[in-house]
């Protein structure tokens, strides 16, 4: 029981809320790496992009790759690349080839020409972007950047969708001074962002589109694309997508987070570096101030101050404007909480950024006094109480006419206060309640609460989310004699009789004569047809080459019905009937047309 209470207290304490920006933790990064790894494993034919997303993700996260994955990915790139591959996929294949340091050369003059043609006659802005990036990857100069800029502007006029604008921003950033025209598009891009609940910003199209536009905006030099408030809202959206499952989505999340973190409007994360719980002997609360990726900020925020600490139990402010001291790590700051045990809401500032956290100060608890005894159920006489000190025990004897009474006092209130009576595997839990004098009291009617005579052990259990030492005190035992003597080991259920399954008796069948009569009745039309043919003869003079397909189709229909009757099913029969019936219909129509022509 105490273990359950302790786990409950820890769970409540671990749910300390943080308002503001939360960084991408180590566990989040491991989950993102798993999503990125899927780009190496779940490869499809002609899929060159997934290898790039995975290779790029491992590269920017500076994580080592298994040699087997590298070999398999290089072989996939070499085998799946074709001359007709799109410009985007060609760049992805070439970039992945270089990142993975594959043996051999994937690039050739045809690829260089493909990138150059993409700049001369692109079909969309992505061709311009990947044409420029491809040439830069090959160490080639961009031919006539001014003309490329004109082509890019023309494509943006033809298609001003968010994806087109995102690729256009990336391409313009690589054109240097020739791409400054994109500065006029920045405000148009930002204004199209959708606000969610006043807390988040995103662009239509989800994580991929949002990541594409964010990285494109921050690639433009001297462009003050976002305000601090807008950057914080975009960061809040990105953090809601930490559970993304695809390599493309994980890479988009990481690149966008890095772009925000390296910008002049980098969101500041103010979180708890370690546990949200402190104790009276170890009062230091460790606060983490970092960028979106959990790394130190380019410019350390100053000062880091706890504006206030409010006790949640009574809304009393117990701390005001207390500076935090630097901790052992560059991102850590220390706030000593030398306060009374309780739950506190702490408002923090780091430079111009604010956040609030909920922390708990844990302290020990000790019983001030405890009395236990028995009293008459009707209250005719005063109960006989025994004062005991921990860890002493007491042995009591009671009967059906008595109540078990436990009284104790504590220096402060607790959420969990129980008395446990148990014998063997059977236990009963009673909750202690406070009276008007702030004294905890438990009153157990032995006749109503217990079902049989026996010797019960008594245990007092105390716990709370702000108690550092949960109490579990064995109070002793009570020997109870009731009118019911049945013990806990007496079986309450007898063995039930075995269930024997009985099959339904077969119904009585009709006499054989009746069955034969109905068989003959069902076959009579066929017999009638044979008799008529014998009298009037068969019209063989109309049988010719045009009649063969019809009769074959008709025979096929009869065979299909026979198969359905013996072993087929309705769905397969209907499918075959469509083809055979259609053939028979056309053949019958042709046969009847031929007969009509012969008669004329």
């Amino acid at each position: 029981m105490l273990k359950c209470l302790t786990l409950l207290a820890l769970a409540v304490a671990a749910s300390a809320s943080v308002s503001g920006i939360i960084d991408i933790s180590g566990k989040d990064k491991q989950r993102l790496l798993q999503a990125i790894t899927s780009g190496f494993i779940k490869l499809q034919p002609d899929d060159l992009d997934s290898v790039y997303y995975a290779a790029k993700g491992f590269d920017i996260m500076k994580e080592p790759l298994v040699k087997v994955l590298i070999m398999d990915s290089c072989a996939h790139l070499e085998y799946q690349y074709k001359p007709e591959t799109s410009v985007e996929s060609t760049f992805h294949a070439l970039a992945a080839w270089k990142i993975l340091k594959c043996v051999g050369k994937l690039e050739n003059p045809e690829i260089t020409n493909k990138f150059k043609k993409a700049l001369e006659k692109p079909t969309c802005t992505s061709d311009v972007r990947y044409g420029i990036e491809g040439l830069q990857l090959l160490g080639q100069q961009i031919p006539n950047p001014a003309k490329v800029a004109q082509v890019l502007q023309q494509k943006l006029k033809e298609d001003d969708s968010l994806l087109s604008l995102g690729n256009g921003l990336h391409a313009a950033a690589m054109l240097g001074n020739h791409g400054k025209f994109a500065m006029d598009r920045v405000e148009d891009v930002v204004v199209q962002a959708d606000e969610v609940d006043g807390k988040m910003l995103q662009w239509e199209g989800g994580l991929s589109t949002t990541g594409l536009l964010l990285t494109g905006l921050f690639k433009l030099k001297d462009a003050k694309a976002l305000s601090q408030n807008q950057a914080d809202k975009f960061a809040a959206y990105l953090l809601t997508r930490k559970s993304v499952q695809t390599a493309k989505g994980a890479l988009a999340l990481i690149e966008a987070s890095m772009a925000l973190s390296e910008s002049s409007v980098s969101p500041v994360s103010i979180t708890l570096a370690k546990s949200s719980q402190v104790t009276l002997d170890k009062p230091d609360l460790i606060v983490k101030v970092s960028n979106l990726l959990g790394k130190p900020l380019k410019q350390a925020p100053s000062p880091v101050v706890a504006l206030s600490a409010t006790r949640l139990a009574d809304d009393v402010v117990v701390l005001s404007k207390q500076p935090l001291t630097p901790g052992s790590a560059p991102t850590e700051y220390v706030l000593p909480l030398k306060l009374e045990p309780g739950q506190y809401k702490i408002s923090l500032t780091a430079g111009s950024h604010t956040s609030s956290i909920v922390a708990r100060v844990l302290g020990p608890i000790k019983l001030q006094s405890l009395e236990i005894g028995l009293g008459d159920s009707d209250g005719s006489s005063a109960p006989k109480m025994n004062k005991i000190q921990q860890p002493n025990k007491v042995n009591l004897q009671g009967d059906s006419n008595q109540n078990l009474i436990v009284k104790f006092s504590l220096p402060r209130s607790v959420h969990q206060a129980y008395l446990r009576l148990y014998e063997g595997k059977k236990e009963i839990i009673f909750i202690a309640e406070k009276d008007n004098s702030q004294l905890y009291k438990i009153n157990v009617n032995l006749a109503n609460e217990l079902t049989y005579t026996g010797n019960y052990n008594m245990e007092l259990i105390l716990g709370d989310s702000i108690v550092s030492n949960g109490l579990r005190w064995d109070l002793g035992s009570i020997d109870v004699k009731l009118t019911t003597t049945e013990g806990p080991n007496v079986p309450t259920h007898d063995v039930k009789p075995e269930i024997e399954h009985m099959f339904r008796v077969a119904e009585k069948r009709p006499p054989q004569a009746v069955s034969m009569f109905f068989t003959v009745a069902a076959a009579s039309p066929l017999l009638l047809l044979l008799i008529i043919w014998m009298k009037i003869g068969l019209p063989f003079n109309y049988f010719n080459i045009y009649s063969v397909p019809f009769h074959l189709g008709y025979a096929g229909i009869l065979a299909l019905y026979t198969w359905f009757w013996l072993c087929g099913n309705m769905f397969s029969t209907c499918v075959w009937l469509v083809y055979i019936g259609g053939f028979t219909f056309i053949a019958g129509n042709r046969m009847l047309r031929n007969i009509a022509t012969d008669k004329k």
Side-chain angles (χ1 to χ4, degrees), residues 195-449:
E195 192 168 22
V196 182
D197 297 332
K199 300 178 181 179
M200 296 184 293
L201 279 173
Q202 69 173 83
W203 279 286
E204 184 181 357
L207 179 59
S208 298
T209 304
T210 302
L212 174 68
L213 290 168
L214 280 177
T215 52
L217 287 172
F218 287 115
K219 277 188 177 182
L220 292 174
K221 294 182 179 180
D222 304 325
K224 295 181 179 180
L226 303 177
S227 65
Q228 186 63 61
N229 185 41
Q230 289 172 328
D232 289 344
K233 289 182 178 181
F234 276 115
Y237 167 72
L238 293 177
L239 291 172
T240 64
R241 303 302 308 274
K242 291 190 293 185
S243 59
V244 63
Q245 299 294 319
T246 63
K248 182 180 180 180
L251 179 61
L253 174 61
I254 296 169
E255 289 185 326
S257 301
M258 291 180 66
L260 278 172
S261 300
E262 294 171 359
S263 69
S264 59
V265 289
S266 171
V268 176
S269 167
I270 305 176
T271 62
L272 291 170
K274 298 179 181 178
S275 173
S276 63
Q277 301 177 146
V278 297
T279 58
L280 295 180
D281 56 337
K282 295 181 179 180
D284 290 344
L285 184 71
I286 310 300
V287 177
K288 182 180 178 182
V289 181
S290 65
N291 63 19
L292 198 58
L293 296 172
K295 297 180 179 179
L297 297 163
K298 287 185 176 181
Q299 185 176 359
S302 179
V304 180
V305 179
L307 292 178
S308 64
T310 306
R311 187 166 51 223
L312 296 181
D314 50 14
D315 290 334
V316 174
V317 177
V318 296
L319 180 149
S320 178
K321 295 183 179 179
Q322 180 171 334
L324 278 68
T325 57
S328 57
T331 59
E332 292 182 357
Y333 294 83
V334 180
L335 173 64
L337 289 180
K338 297 179 180 179
L339 306 172
E340 290 295 321
Q343 185 175 356
Y344 299 89
K345 182 178 181 180
I346 305 170
S347 178
L348 298 167
T349 64
S352 61
H353 301 271
T354 61
S355 184
S356 62
I357 61 176
V358 175
R360 283 179 170 80
V361 180
L362 308 184
I365 193 168
K366 186 177 181 181
L367 278 167
Q368 294 176 330
S369 64
L370 185 140
E371 292 182 324
I372 184 170
L374 296 168
D376 294 335
S377 300
D378 55 7
S380 58
S381 61
K384 297 178 181 180
M385 306 300 291
N386 301 296
K387 282 190 175 183
I388 59 174
Q389 297 291 332
Q390 192 179 5
N392 296 334
K393 300 180 181 180
V394 64
N395 295 319
L396 303 175
Q397 291 186 346
D399 55 36
S400 303
N401 299 318
Q402 291 180 310
N403 286 2
L404 173 64
I405 302 172
V406 181
K407 298 179 181 179
F408 58 92
S409 61
L410 298 171
R412 62 176 183 272
S413 299
V414 294
H415 288 155
Q416 297 96 13
Y418 307 116
L419 175 67
R420 175 177 176 244
L421 296 185
Y422 64 96
E423 194 220 7
K425 295 183 179 180
K426 183 176 178 62
E427 68 174 14
I428 306 176
I429 305 295
F430 301 95
I431 301 175
E433 297 180 355
K434 271 188 176 182
D435 58 14
N436 294 332
S437 61
Q438 301 300 307
L439 192 69
Y440 284 91
K441 186 176 181 181
I442 302 173
N443 196 325
V444 181
N445 188 299
L446 299 178
N448 294 338
E449 300 294 345

Side-chain angles (χ1 to χ4, degrees), residues 71-72 189 230-231 312 370 381 391 395 477 505 517 553:
M71 295 174 61
D72 291 345
V189 171
Q230 289 172 328
L312 296 181
L370 185 140
S381 61
N395 295 319
S477 63
V505 179
F517 171 76

Side-chain angles (χ1 to χ4, degrees), residues 536-581:
I536 65 175
L538 293 175
F540 286 109
N541 54 325
Y542 291 114
F543 191 85
N544 53 38
I545 190 65
Y546 296 104
S547 304
V548 174
F550 169 74
H551 288 86
L552 289 176
Y554 182 67
I557 293 174
L558 296 178
L560 181 63
Y561 285 163
T562 303
W563 173 78
F564 170 68
W565 180 264
L566 295 176
C567 59
N569 57 70
M570 181 178 66
F571 300 102
S572 299
T573 302
C574 290
V575 171
W576 282 101
L577 186 59
V578 170
Y579 297 106
I580 299 175

Side-chain angles (χ1 to χ4, degrees), residues 95-125:
W97 186 273
K98 288 185 175 293
I99 292 172
L100 298 175
K101 297 179 181 178
C102 299
V103 179
K105 285 189 176 182
L106 186 67
E107 65 265 23
N108 53 58
E110 292 182 0
I111 291 181
T112 304
N113 293 332
K114 179 185 290 189
F115 289 146
K116 290 181 178 180
K117 288 180 180 179
L119 300 180
E120 295 173 0
K121 296 181 179 180
T123 58
C124 55
T125 56

Side-chain angles (χ1 to χ4, degrees), residues 12 67-68 78 119 228 231 238 272 302 316 336 461 520 533:
V12 174
K67 189 174 181 180
V68 175
E78 187 174 12
L119 300 180
Q228 186 63 61
L238 293 177
L272 291 170
S302 179
V316 174
I461 301 171
V520 173
W533 279 351

